[in-house]
Each structure stands twice: as structure tokens, then as C-alpha cells.
Amino acid sequence: MVTLQPTPHLVLRTDSGSRRFPLIGGSCWTVGRSEDNNVVLSDRWISRNHAMLQSMENGEFYLIDLGSRNGSFINGRRVSIPVTLQNGDRLTFGQTEIEFYCPVHQQIEGAIGMDSKEFTATATLHIRRLISVLVVDIRDFTGLTRQLDEKILSEVIGTWFRCAGDIIREYGSWVDKYIGDAVMSVWTHGAQGVNRDEMLRIFQAVNALHTMTSSLYNQYPLPFPLKIGAGINTGYAMVGNTGSGDRPDYTALGDTVNAAFRLESATKQIGLDIAIGETTHHHLSTLVDDANFFEQYTVHLKGYEVPTLTHACSFGDLDAFLQTKVGSSG
């Protein structure tokens, strides 16, 4: 019989005792001075919204600095990009140190093998829904890391993650995953299928993300303007809601999600900014007039045996289209 360790949690040790912050009931937890954080720390050296912990389906946790003034540290090393946490890691925010504890990954895997029906993280993934997946990636991020001071890099990527989350929430979704230099978000459609407003909001979000990313060149001493690529795919996937009330927390799995990542990568082959799947293009063309600014391409997606049809465009084309349909999207 496999015995599971205590649930993932943070421990703050003070002169008056220890405080425990369970990392359950969601997929991300924010840390900062502001009262709207999941972990509120009264340390004047900590930013109002300082950092975030993100959990993944495989049980791993990432620490993401949100562009804090004084930085986030793991075992004394400053975090400039999302970093995987290990059991027992010491996290430092300002002058406050917190310990991270997580069940041993192998023990979780053993428990799943025994009876997956009793494993909550797996059991929630049982509803087949029509979704649209957006994957956005920062271009030439490796080159940026080689040319930029670590402190500035941390501020830039933290600002980008934070602003990306705000934009995606504004347009009706949430960040499902933070992955290195990319984010993934999901729009879940109703039983009636995709409607016009939903489809336009997805493309408004993409355009706003482009505008925000471009503006960082004016805010920070960057060696070159930042650019993003985007992949959008619509289809059915297995999703589960582990949140409640006004804070839904969905996770999506399946080919629809995988293809969105591959489509984003395909923009580099095509030499354009946005690539969308055939189903996404069909819905857009059906719901919105004058969607012919997308050009059709045949691409070879990694992991797919047969060539795939996609439709791609530039941010300039998308912005001109949105100007005629919904006005300024910036």
C-alpha cells in the first residue's frame, strides 16, 4: 500500500510560531503585500503582487516572479523565469523566507496506478467540452536571456506574465499554464457552440497581448523589441473544473490542446504571427464577415504524420480587421 505525504503547502516560520499555507483547491496561488493575494505577507520589501506559484497536472510546481521590485529567490538564487520547485526549497520574498513542501512525485504516480478513480486530479478530467485554446510565446527569448541583465530580465518577464494574465481575464478566460516563456489559456464554449462575441474576444485578446508586448521596449532597456507568436485551435477536449464560484479553474487535455502548441510553432515556418486551426477558421468565417485576411497554408506539425491545413496572418492584418468589427482593441 502506498502512503501519500501531506498535501503541498508553504510554511512561514516566525518568532511566534509557524504558519501553514495549503496549496490545494486551485492551480495558482499569489504572494504579496496586497490583501487580495492567497499568501499575504506584511513585509515592506515585498511588492503588492510579488510572485505566483503554479501547479501542473503532473504534480510539479513552478515559481513565477511577477516583476517584483526586489525579486524572488529559490535557495538564494534569483528567479528570472518560471522555475520548477523541489520539496524543501527555501523561497525568499523581500526579507521573508518561506519553505515549500510537496508530496514525493513518485508516490503520487504510485497512487494513480493503484486506483485512478480515487485520485482527485485525474477524476476531475471527465467532461468533454468544446473549447478554444490560445498559446502565446515570446519570440527569441533565448537571445534575450543572453543579452539582458538578470534583474531586468526578471522584471520584464514578470511584467509580461502579469499583464498577459490581466488581458486574458479581461477577454473572458484565464491563464491555464505558464510555461517558460509562453502562456496557454482556454475559452470554454456552451452547449450551443461558439458564438460571435466569444470568437471576437479571443482575437481581441491576441491583439492586446501583441500591443502590450511591443510596449515593453519603451519601458525597459531591451536589446530589441519583443515579439510574440500565437496559435489558436478550437475543438473538443477533456476538461475539469477544480475551482468554484467566480474563480473557475479548468484544465484541458487532448489533441485540441496539443495542436494549439504546434500551430504556434508553425508561425515560425510560415513567417507570420498567428496560426489558427481549420475549425477555428470555420467558426470565424461563419460568424464574422470579411475574415478572408487569413491565408491558407499546409504545414507539418511535429508529432503529426500527415500535413495539416492552417490559416495564418500578421498582427497588422488582425488589427485592421478588428478595427472594422469592434473598434480599437488596444
PDB file of all heavy atoms in Angstrom, residues 21-38:
ATOM      1  N   PHE A  21       0.392  27.344   4.772  1.00  0.00           N
ATOM      2  CA  PHE A  21      -0.480  27.753   3.673  1.00  0.00           C
ATOM      3  C   PHE A  21      -0.664  26.555   2.745  1.00  0.00           C
ATOM      4  O   PHE A  21       0.218  26.250   1.940  1.00  0.00           O
ATOM      5  CB  PHE A  21       0.122  28.923   2.895  1.00  0.00           C
ATOM      6  CG  PHE A  21       0.380  30.153   3.711  1.00  0.00           C
ATOM      7  CD1 PHE A  21       1.621  30.364   4.314  1.00  0.00           C
ATOM      8  CD2 PHE A  21      -0.609  31.112   3.896  1.00  0.00           C
ATOM      9  CE1 PHE A  21       1.868  31.494   5.066  1.00  0.00           C
ATOM     10  CE2 PHE A  21      -0.373  32.255   4.641  1.00  0.00           C
ATOM     11  CZ  PHE A  21       0.865  32.442   5.234  1.00  0.00           C
ATOM     12  N   PRO A  22      -1.796  25.838   2.814  1.00  0.00           N
ATOM     13  CA  PRO A  22      -2.025  24.691   1.921  1.00  0.00           C
ATOM     14  C   PRO A  22      -2.143  25.141   0.465  1.00  0.00           C
ATOM     15  O   PRO A  22      -2.753  26.172   0.176  1.00  0.00           O
ATOM     16  CB  PRO A  22      -3.355  24.110   2.421  1.00  0.00           C
ATOM     17  CG  PRO A  22      -3.553  24.693   3.789  1.00  0.00           C
ATOM     18  CD  PRO A  22      -2.907  26.037   3.759  1.00  0.00           C
ATOM     19  N   LEU A  23      -1.576  24.384  -0.440  1.00  0.00           N
ATOM     20  CA  LEU A  23      -1.660  24.668  -1.873  1.00  0.00           C
ATOM     21  C   LEU A  23      -2.629  23.676  -2.501  1.00  0.00           C
ATOM     22  O   LEU A  23      -2.244  22.742  -3.219  1.00  0.00           O
ATOM     23  CB  LEU A  23      -0.271  24.574  -2.505  1.00  0.00           C
ATOM     24  CG  LEU A  23       0.789  25.500  -1.913  1.00  0.00           C
ATOM     25  CD1 LEU A  23       2.155  25.237  -2.542  1.00  0.00           C
ATOM     26  CD2 LEU A  23       0.398  26.966  -2.093  1.00  0.00           C
ATOM     27  N   ILE A  24      -3.916  23.868  -2.208  1.00  0.00           N
ATOM     28  CA  ILE A  24      -4.955  22.975  -2.695  1.00  0.00           C
ATOM     29  C   ILE A  24      -6.128  23.808  -3.209  1.00  0.00           C
ATOM     30  O   ILE A  24      -6.221  25.003  -2.945  1.00  0.00           O
ATOM     31  CB  ILE A  24      -5.447  22.011  -1.581  1.00  0.00           C
ATOM     32  CG1 ILE A  24      -5.952  22.812  -0.377  1.00  0.00           C
ATOM     33  CG2 ILE A  24      -4.345  21.041  -1.174  1.00  0.00           C
ATOM     34  CD1 ILE A  24      -6.543  21.954   0.725  1.00  0.00           C
ATOM     35  N   GLY A  25      -7.016  23.151  -3.967  1.00  0.00           N
ATOM     36  CA  GLY A  25      -8.240  23.809  -4.414  1.00  0.00           C
ATOM     37  C   GLY A  25      -8.039  24.792  -5.546  1.00  0.00           C
ATOM     38  O   GLY A  25      -8.851  25.692  -5.742  1.00  0.00           O
ATOM     39  N   GLY A  26      -6.981  24.654  -6.309  1.00  0.00           N
ATOM     40  CA  GLY A  26      -6.734  25.573  -7.424  1.00  0.00           C
ATOM     41  C   GLY A  26      -5.471  25.175  -8.153  1.00  0.00           C
ATOM     42  O   GLY A  26      -4.888  24.114  -7.894  1.00  0.00           O
ATOM     43  N   SER A  27      -5.031  26.027  -9.069  1.00  0.00           N
ATOM     44  CA  SER A  27      -3.793  25.739  -9.808  1.00  0.00           C
ATOM     45  C   SER A  27      -2.784  26.866  -9.704  1.00  0.00           C
ATOM     46  O   SER A  27      -1.665  26.742 -10.185  1.00  0.00           O
ATOM     47  CB  SER A  27      -4.108  25.476 -11.286  1.00  0.00           C
ATOM     48  OG  SER A  27      -4.651  26.637 -11.879  1.00  0.00           O
ATOM     49  N   CYS A  28      -3.152  28.004  -9.087  1.00  0.00           N
ATOM     50  CA  CYS A  28      -2.167  29.057  -8.884  1.00  0.00           C
ATOM     51  C   CYS A  28      -2.472  29.825  -7.602  1.00  0.00           C
ATOM     52  O   CYS A  28      -3.639  29.967  -7.217  1.00  0.00           O
ATOM     53  CB  CYS A  28      -2.105  30.000 -10.087  1.00  0.00           C
ATOM     54  SG  CYS A  28      -3.603  30.942 -10.382  1.00  0.00           S
ATOM     55  N   TRP A  29      -1.414  30.274  -6.950  1.00  0.00           N
ATOM     56  CA  TRP A  29      -1.521  30.987  -5.680  1.00  0.00           C
ATOM     57  C   TRP A  29      -0.569  32.175  -5.734  1.00  0.00           C
ATOM     58  O   TRP A  29       0.616  32.024  -6.049  1.00  0.00           O
ATOM     59  CB  TRP A  29      -1.134  30.061  -4.519  1.00  0.00           C
ATOM     60  CG  TRP A  29      -2.040  28.887  -4.392  1.00  0.00           C
ATOM     61  CD1 TRP A  29      -3.128  28.751  -3.586  1.00  0.00           C
ATOM     62  CD2 TRP A  29      -1.935  27.646  -5.120  1.00  0.00           C
ATOM     63  NE1 TRP A  29      -3.716  27.523  -3.764  1.00  0.00           N
ATOM     64  CE2 TRP A  29      -3.011  26.817  -4.706  1.00  0.00           C
ATOM     65  CE3 TRP A  29      -1.058  27.165  -6.095  1.00  0.00           C
ATOM     66  CZ2 TRP A  29      -3.217  25.548  -5.218  1.00  0.00           C
ATOM     67  CZ3 TRP A  29      -1.259  25.899  -6.621  1.00  0.00           C
ATOM     68  CH2 TRP A  29      -2.333  25.094  -6.175  1.00  0.00           C
ATOM     69  N   THR A  30      -1.074  33.356  -5.433  1.00  0.00           N
ATOM     70  CA  THR A  30      -0.257  34.564  -5.499  1.00  0.00           C
ATOM     71  C   THR A  30       0.286  34.933  -4.117  1.00  0.00           C
ATOM     72  O   THR A  30      -0.327  34.646  -3.086  1.00  0.00           O
ATOM     73  CB  THR A  30      -1.068  35.744  -6.061  1.00  0.00           C
ATOM     74  OG1 THR A  30      -2.255  35.927  -5.266  1.00  0.00           O
ATOM     75  CG2 THR A  30      -1.462  35.475  -7.506  1.00  0.00           C
ATOM     76  N   VAL A  31       1.434  35.595  -4.131  1.00  0.00           N
ATOM     77  CA  VAL A  31       2.118  36.010  -2.911  1.00  0.00           C
ATOM     78  C   VAL A  31       2.392  37.509  -3.002  1.00  0.00           C
ATOM     79  O   VAL A  31       2.846  38.002  -4.036  1.00  0.00           O
ATOM     80  CB  VAL A  31       3.459  35.255  -2.743  1.00  0.00           C
ATOM     81  CG1 VAL A  31       4.181  35.716  -1.470  1.00  0.00           C
ATOM     82  CG2 VAL A  31       3.238  33.755  -2.734  1.00  0.00           C
ATOM     83  N   GLY A  32       2.119  38.252  -1.920  1.00  0.00           N
ATOM     84  CA  GLY A  32       2.411  39.677  -1.923  1.00  0.00           C
ATOM     85  C   GLY A  32       1.853  40.388  -0.712  1.00  0.00           C
ATOM     86  O   GLY A  32       1.264  39.767   0.183  1.00  0.00           O
ATOM     87  N   ARG A  33       2.035  41.724  -0.662  1.00  0.00           N
ATOM     88  CA  ARG A  33       1.540  42.514   0.466  1.00  0.00           C
ATOM     89  C   ARG A  33       0.042  42.783   0.378  1.00  0.00           C
ATOM     90  O   ARG A  33      -0.620  42.971   1.389  1.00  0.00           O
ATOM     91  CB  ARG A  33       2.279  43.856   0.541  1.00  0.00           C
ATOM     92  CG  ARG A  33       3.694  43.774   1.084  1.00  0.00           C
ATOM     93  CD  ARG A  33       4.261  45.169   1.337  1.00  0.00           C
ATOM     94  NE  ARG A  33       4.423  45.921   0.097  1.00  0.00           N
ATOM     95  CZ  ARG A  33       3.680  46.959  -0.264  1.00  0.00           C
ATOM     96  NH1 ARG A  33       2.685  47.358   0.516  1.00  0.00           N
ATOM     97  NH2 ARG A  33       3.902  47.600  -1.403  1.00  0.00           N
ATOM     98  N   SER A  34      -0.500  42.830  -0.839  1.00  0.00           N
ATOM     99  CA  SER A  34      -1.911  43.171  -1.020  1.00  0.00           C
ATOM    100  C   SER A  34      -2.821  42.098  -0.437  1.00  0.00           C
ATOM    101  O   SER A  34      -2.506  40.902  -0.494  1.00  0.00           O
ATOM    102  CB  SER A  34      -2.212  43.354  -2.506  1.00  0.00           C
ATOM    103  OG  SER A  34      -3.587  43.576  -2.719  1.00  0.00           O
ATOM    104  N   GLU A  35      -3.955  42.542   0.107  1.00  0.00           N
ATOM    105  CA  GLU A  35      -4.894  41.626   0.753  1.00  0.00           C
ATOM    106  C   GLU A  35      -5.567  40.674  -0.225  1.00  0.00           C
ATOM    107  O   GLU A  35      -6.192  39.702   0.189  1.00  0.00           O
ATOM    108  CB  GLU A  35      -5.966  42.424   1.507  1.00  0.00           C
ATOM    109  CG  GLU A  35      -5.439  43.190   2.713  1.00  0.00           C
ATOM    110  CD  GLU A  35      -4.922  42.256   3.808  1.00  0.00           C
ATOM    111  OE1 GLU A  35      -5.482  41.137   3.929  1.00  0.00           O
ATOM    112  OE2 GLU A  35      -3.972  42.622   4.512  1.00  0.00           O
ATOM    113  N   ASP A  36      -5.491  40.956  -1.538  1.00  0.00           N
ATOM    114  CA  ASP A  36      -6.150  40.081  -2.498  1.00  0.00           C
ATOM    115  C   ASP A  36      -5.286  38.885  -2.902  1.00  0.00           C
ATOM    116  O   ASP A  36      -5.679  38.082  -3.751  1.00  0.00           O
ATOM    117  CB  ASP A  36      -6.578  40.854  -3.752  1.00  0.00           C
ATOM    118  CG  ASP A  36      -5.388  41.492  -4.474  1.00  0.00           C
ATOM    119  OD1 ASP A  36      -4.247  41.370  -3.991  1.00  0.00           O
ATOM    120  OD2 ASP A  36      -5.627  42.128  -5.521  1.00  0.00           O
ATOM    121  N   ASN A  37      -4.104  38.732  -2.280  1.00  0.00           N
ATOM    122  CA  ASN A  37      -3.253  37.581  -2.555  1.00  0.00           C
ATOM    123  C   ASN A  37      -3.686  36.367  -1.740  1.00  0.00           C
ATOM    124  O   ASN A  37      -4.313  36.498  -0.690  1.00  0.00           O
ATOM    125  CB  ASN A  37      -1.788  37.915  -2.230  1.00  0.00           C
ATOM    126  CG  ASN A  37      -1.193  38.902  -3.210  1.00  0.00           C
ATOM    127  OD1 ASN A  37      -0.921  38.563  -4.355  1.00  0.00           O
ATOM    128  ND2 ASN A  37      -1.002  40.134  -2.760  1.00  0.00           N
ATOM    129  N   ASN A  38      -3.335  35.182  -2.244  1.00  0.00           N
ATOM    130  CA  ASN A  38      -3.597  33.959  -1.477  1.00  0.00           C
ATOM    131  C   ASN A  38      -2.692  33.869  -0.259  1.00  0.00           C
ATOM    132  O   ASN A  38      -3.104  33.379   0.796  1.00  0.00           O
ATOM    133  CB  ASN A  38      -3.381  32.731  -2.365  1.00  0.00           C
ATOM    134  CG  ASN A  38      -4.253  32.728  -3.591  1.00  0.00           C
ATOM    135  OD1 ASN A  38      -3.782  33.010  -4.686  1.00  0.00           O
ATOM    136  ND2 ASN A  38      -5.527  32.438  -3.433  1.00  0.00           N
TER     137      ASN A  38
END
